[in-house]
């Protein structure tokens, strides 16, 4: 029985860069620092996107409070009763 062949998408430019970097042995301290830098970069990028979205909607601090106070869960209904 043959196993189905799956096609792997090509690596992104970021993946290629990281593979090249991590192919070299680096001290654990440097590895931790690199992970922190990556985490901070992507967190900052996400915050910038959220700020842009917030600005395009014209939302205020009051709107943030309203969103925080909104209950979005659907009430549980037991259909077996």
């Amino acid at each position: 029985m043959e196993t189905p062949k799956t096609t792997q998408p090509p690596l992104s430019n970021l993946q290629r860069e990281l593979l090249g970097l991590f192919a070299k042995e680096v001290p654990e301290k440097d590895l931790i620092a690199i992970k922190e830098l990556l985490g901070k970069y992507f967190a900052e990028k996400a915050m910038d996107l959220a700020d842009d979205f917030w600005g395009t909607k014209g939302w205020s601090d009051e709107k943030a409070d309203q969103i925080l106070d909104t209950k979005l869960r659907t009430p549980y209904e037991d259909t077996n009763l």
Side-chain angles (χ1 to χ4, degrees):
M1 178 187 262
E2 270 185 56
T3 56
K5 294 181 181 179
T6 58
T7 359
Q8 291 284 35
L11 296 176
S12 71
N13 59 347
L14 175 61
Q15 289 170 319
R16 287 189 304 273
E17 188 68 29
L18 289 174
L19 281 173
L21 174 66
F22 291 124
K24 301 174 181 112
E25 195 64 35
V26 294
E28 188 68 22
K29 184 173 121 180
D30 291 343
L31 182 58
I32 291 168
I34 291 167
K35 287 180 180 181
E36 286 176 3
L37 281 170
L38 288 170
K40 286 178 185 176
Y41 170 78
F42 285 111
E44 214 171 279
K45 194 167 180 163
M47 289 300 295
D48 289 344
L49 286 170
D51 288 344
D52 289 346
F53 179 78
W54 195 264
T56 60
K57 295 291 184 183
W59 289 351
S60 63
D61 289 342
E62 290 78 23
K63 180 67 175 179
D65 292 338
Q66 179 187 5
I67 291 170
L68 289 172
D69 291 337
T70 302
K71 307 248 186 300
L72 299 175
R73 292 188 59 182
T74 304
Y76 175 76
E77 293 181 24
D78 191 350
T79 56
N80 294 325
L81 293 176

